[in-house]
Amino acid sequence: MCRQVLCASFARGRITALRRTLAERVAGEGLGGRRLEDFVVAVNEVITNAVLHGGGGGTVRVWWQHGRLWCEVADEGPGMGRWSSALPPPSGFEAGGRGLWLVRLLCEHVTIVSGPVGTTVTFSVARG
């Protein structure tokens, strides 16, 4: 069974409001503490990437399935081109470049599908 928690479009200037809505809905669904914080950070990183690198916006969908909270963020940007699935963090004090690396640290079942018509990132966390 799949139970939807949130489905929304987003664009530049709407990230903060979306993050608040997401946190409220997910907390209302019973995810709390560190898991809630990590999930919200991960979603924020991916939607920020979509705004900055993926055409300026996209859609986010969050749902429960089989005891896991899932998120899918999709954009219609130019795709990521050649990239490594390892995605190590940048060295030194470079600004940026840590978003997908953080998602991999904070979440599970991370998949990235990218091509010339957009990128979709999907990930999950266990209920608790």
Side-chain angles (χ1 to χ4, degrees), residues 35 39 42 46 63 65-73 85 100 102-113 120-127:
R35 285 192 188 278
F39 188 76
V46 178
W63 71 97
Q65 187 171 19
H66 304 298
R68 302 191 72 75
L69 185 63
W70 289 87
C71 178
E72 176 186 84
V73 177
S85 62
L100 292 175
L102 276 172
V103 172
R104 282 195 162 87
L105 284 178
L106 301 174
C107 300
E108 301 166 348
H109 305 286
V110 180
T111 61
I112 303 168
V113 178
T120 301
V121 180
T122 307
F123 52 93
S124 71
V125 295
R127 182 177 290 272

Side-chain angles (χ1 to χ4, degrees), residues 24 29 40 60 65 79 92 108 110:
E24 289 170 4
E29 291 283 326
V40 172
V60 59
Q65 187 171 19
E108 301 166 348
V110 180

Side-chain angles (χ1 to χ4, degrees), residues 31-52:
L31 194 68
R34 183 67 185 254
R35 285 192 188 278
L36 172 64
E37 293 169 9
D38 289 352
F39 188 76
V40 172
V41 165
V43 174
N44 184 72
E45 290 297 327
V46 178
I47 63 176
T48 299
N49 281 350
V51 167
L52 295 176

